[in-house]
Amino acid sequence: MRELNNPFDLTAATHLTDDQILRYWVNFPNKIVNTRSPRPLLILGGKGSGKTHLMRHLSFQSQQREYKGDVVKGLQKDGYIGLYFRCGGLNAFRFQGKSTDQEKWKIIYTYFMELWFGELMLQSAIIAFSTLHSFTQNQHAICNDISRLFDKFPFPVPEKMDDLLQIFRQLQKEVNVSVNNRAIGKEFDFEILVTAGNLSLGIAPIFLKYCTELSKIKFIYLIDELENLTAYQQSYIHTLIRERYDPVTFYVGSRLYGIKTYQTLSANEENKPGSEFDLKVLDTLLRDNKKEYSD
């Protein structure tokens, strides 16, 4: 007798493939998010409420699969490109303790995250905009402008975006090696080359400067599982939300009680729902729409 596959073997959206995220997506009759709005969004929900599935469905990986024929035209139709990543608990754990004071960890963590945001932006853009003549013809100029976002850029300016991406990855590895070896008493062995916010917020406007076809596209960072970050690490994300400017915005997903702070690094001021961000609680939304949820 043929053995049947259990369709409930995978119950968490983190374990689904990008193709499965699209295949198993069920649209809610009332739009959960308005991707046309530039306002940042905090998406809260209990385990299994659909946060990760929703955010991965909004990601470029899903957009790429949905618009196989012409990705840029699809992004123009959606009005955004979704840059998704998870806040892994193991990764966040590395940036604390080890006989190092918290103020130093704050600076190192924000530098590491700036490089990470930059890598995510470049990696997605290289794939998404590869068919744009304006993008391919202006790669050196784009690389030059991005290199100027650094306070110190100790490399020749690359001709191609792929080479710039490799520099970002090299810098990340330097931080990784140094942070990991701090646990065995070694001193940090890298320089902080960029100010917080310069890469995460500054790269997207450069793309728009050279590619008029992207003028109506927003760049949405989809930051999932914020509950895995410490309070000071969350403060960095809240600061980016507060300081963000077009065409960049943020959708942040977290467990219901996973927000440890709303404080920013801007004189410890707090972000407020309805002011710096909108708030969606998926559990409440599902409870208040029983018929749609049943359907």
Side-chain angles (χ1 to χ4, degrees):
M1 186 173 71
R2 185 171 64 88
E3 185 177 347
L4 297 178
N5 291 326
N6 182 355
F8 301 106
D9 275 344
L10 297 178
T11 57
T14 53
H15 300 149
L16 299 178
T17 66
D18 292 326
D19 288 329
Q20 288 171 324
I21 287 292
L22 271 183
R23 193 186 319 149
Y24 298 146
W25 172 253
V26 178
N27 208 7
F28 207 70
N30 300 319
K31 260 187 132 177
I32 298 175
V33 297
N34 176 17
T35 51
R36 297 285 175 181
S37 171
R39 189 189 287 270
L41 178 65
L42 184 57
I43 303 170
L44 300 182
K47 184 175 175 62
S49 59
K51 300 183 304 298
T52 295
H53 202 143
L54 169 62
M55 296 182 76
R56 286 188 62 188
H57 185 262
L58 295 172
S59 71
F60 172 63
Q61 286 78 5
S62 291
Q63 292 176 298
Q64 186 182 10
R65 281 159 176 76
E66 190 170 355
Y67 301 117
K68 292 177 182 176
D70 192 335
V71 176
V72 172
K73 189 174 288 186
L75 298 179
Q76 289 170 330
K77 176 185 172 185
D78 288 344
Y80 77 93
I81 177 171
L83 309 169
Y84 174 86
F85 74 87
R86 290 173 59 221
C87 300
L90 292 176
N91 192 36
F93 174 77
R94 296 184 302 131
F95 296 88
Q96 55 186 319
K98 303 173 187 174
S99 302
T100 303
D101 67 79
Q102 193 174 25
E103 289 304 311
K104 187 176 288 186
W105 277 129
K106 284 181 183 179
I107 297 170
I108 294 171
Y109 180 75
T110 55
Y111 176 53
F112 175 80
M113 288 299 293
E114 284 295 311
L115 294 173
W116 193 354
F117 279 127
E119 179 187 344
L120 182 62
M121 182 75 76
L122 293 182
Q123 185 175 324
S124 301
I126 288 169
I127 300 170
F129 310 142
S130 61
T131 59
L132 285 180
H133 180 77
S134 57
F135 181 77
T136 56
Q137 292 302 304
N138 289 300
Q139 287 199 45
H140 179 63
I142 293 172
C143 289
N144 185 57
D145 282 12
I146 292 174
S147 70
R148 291 179 178 178
L149 296 175
F150 285 78
D151 302 312
K152 178 181 178 181
F153 192 74
F155 310 94
V157 176
E159 295 286 335
K160 299 292 184 182
M161 296 291 295
D162 284 318
D163 296 329
L164 183 60
L165 177 60
Q166 292 308 312
I167 289 175
F168 273 71
R169 288 173 174 167
Q170 176 186 333
L171 292 173
Q172 261 196 14
K173 285 181 180 179
E174 288 177 3
V175 178
N176 277 329
V177 170
S178 195
V179 167
N180 292 341
N181 281 279
R182 181 64 186 145
I184 56 175
K186 290 192 175 182
E187 294 299 321
F188 295 115
D189 187 25
F190 60 88
E191 289 185 283
I192 306 291
L193 300 176
V194 69
T195 300
N198 280 16
L199 299 178
S200 53
L201 303 178
I203 294 177
I206 293 172
F207 292 147
L208 269 59
K209 173 182 174 182
Y210 292 97
C211 307
T212 56
E213 303 94 331
L214 307 177
S215 61
K216 294 184 180 179
I217 291 178
K218 289 190 300 300
F219 293 74
I220 303 178
Y221 287 112
L222 302 161
I223 304 173
D224 198 9
E225 299 187 12
L226 190 74
E227 67 271 9
N228 288 327
L229 301 189
T230 65
Y232 80 80
Q233 291 168 350
Q234 289 188 5
S235 290
Y236 164 68
I237 302 298
H238 287 304
T239 305
L240 292 179
I241 289 173
R242 190 181 190 88
E243 301 293 333
R244 70 119 214 136
Y245 48 83
D246 291 339
V248 175
T249 194
F250 295 83
Y251 288 3
V252 180
S254 174
R255 294 277 181 91
L256 279 170
Y257 305 105
I259 306 297
K260 300 176 177 71
T261 183
Y262 285 99
Q263 277 192 339
T264 68
L265 303 178
S266 307
N268 290 329
E269 290 201 22
E270 286 195 352
N271 286 345
K272 303 289 185 184
S275 178
E276 283 76 29
F277 63 91
D278 287 335
L279 178 65
K280 292 276 186 179
V281 181
L282 295 186
D283 307 73
T284 302
L285 189 147
L286 296 172
R287 280 197 301 268
D288 291 347
N289 294 271
K290 292 182 181 179
K291 184 180 182 305
E292 287 87 350
Y293 179 67
S294 299
D295 292 343

